[in-house]
Amino acid sequence: MSDAGSLQALVQALRRLPGVGVKSAQRMAYHLLQHDRPGAQVLAQALQQACEHLGHCERCHTFSEQALCAICRDGERDATRLCVVETPADQAAMERTGAFSGLYFVLMGRLSPLDGVGPADIGMQQLLQRAADGVVQEVILATSFTAEGEATAHALSQALRRAGVRVTRLARGVPVGSELEYVDLGTIAHALADRR
């Protein structure tokens, strides 16, 4: 491979990251090669290590180096509450709040028929089995409030309710610290409809 070929391969590899276009990938590649070769080596090694050692937790599907992740192994967690999230990043965000002490089920995506993502692709059957294990008393749907996230929550809610499981959905509304005049109209409408 020529010198330009190696650089082009690096740029193309960086473009695989979400939100990274050609210009951003080029900037990253040049920065790493010009100013931070040790950082490039650390990045390459960390990626290699993660690819070799990270798999999915057998119970919740989040990333884990062991068969069960640390949360699923934690006997202090409330096993009666199961929070369903789309991604490990969503799970991490929930954990950072410190407000949830139950267990998780990570879908690793959301329903998107246009992209060929159906119920089997997000583990709906495994979720139904886990929710009907006799321990779980409430499933909290914490999918995003996008069209796909809403469709996923609706499909999961219907299936879980048919199975006799109590289902709740994250509330949505006006963000704390925001001024009403700057909040989008859809958020205000939902906050008004879901007021308590």
Side-chain angles (χ1 to χ4, degrees):
M1 190 178 264
S2 70
D3 294 340
S6 296
L7 180 60
Q8 189 58 30
L10 176 58
V11 170
Q12 291 304 316
L14 291 168
R15 284 193 61 205
R16 297 177 76 102
L17 295 169
V20 176
V22 175
K23 296 270 188 204
S24 295
Q26 287 173 338
R27 255 191 317 275
M28 287 183 230
Y30 286 124
H31 170 78
L32 288 169
L33 295 173
Q34 281 180 282
H35 304 291
D36 195 8
R37 292 243 174 171
Q41 289 294 327
V42 169
L43 178 62
Q45 289 170 357
L47 279 169
Q48 184 68 34
Q49 189 99 6
C51 288
E52 288 176 6
H53 298 289
L54 280 175
H56 293 283
C57 173
E58 292 174 0
R59 281 189 83 203
C60 74
H61 300 150
T62 197
F63 294 125
S64 177
E65 290 187 6
Q66 298 180 25
L68 292 179
C69 70
I71 292 174
C72 288
R73 290 191 318 265
D74 185 350
E76 301 295 313
R77 303 294 292 215
D78 180 0
T80 65
R81 294 187 303 151
L82 185 65
C83 183
V84 178
V85 294
E86 293 176 9
T87 66
D90 295 340
Q91 178 190 15
M94 291 288 292
E95 281 296 288
R96 282 193 304 274
T97 69
F100 182 69
S101 61
L103 296 172
Y104 293 92
F105 187 89
V106 182
L107 299 170
M108 299 306 266
R110 56 186 164 212
L111 294 176
S112 180
L114 293 177
D115 296 321
V117 179
D121 300 308
I122 62 169
M124 185 184 281
Q125 194 57 44
Q126 295 98 317
L127 172 60
L128 292 173
Q129 289 169 352
R130 176 125 182 246
D133 66 2
V135 177
V136 174
Q137 295 175 9
E138 176 188 14
V139 173
I140 303 163
L141 299 177
T143 57
S144 60
F145 291 103
T146 62
E148 291 92 353
E150 290 286 359
T152 302
H154 178 73
L156 294 175
S157 176
Q158 297 290 11
L160 289 162
R161 286 194 173 111
R162 278 194 302 273
V165 178
R166 179 173 178 248
V167 181
T168 58
R169 178 90 164 106
L170 281 187
R172 56 184 156 188
V174 179
V176 174
S178 64
E179 295 184 32
L180 204 54
E181 68 180 292
Y182 300 113
V183 176
D184 70 275
L185 300 178
T187 299
I188 293 172
H190 282 293
L192 188 58
D194 297 338
R195 70 189 183 280
R196 20 175 193 149

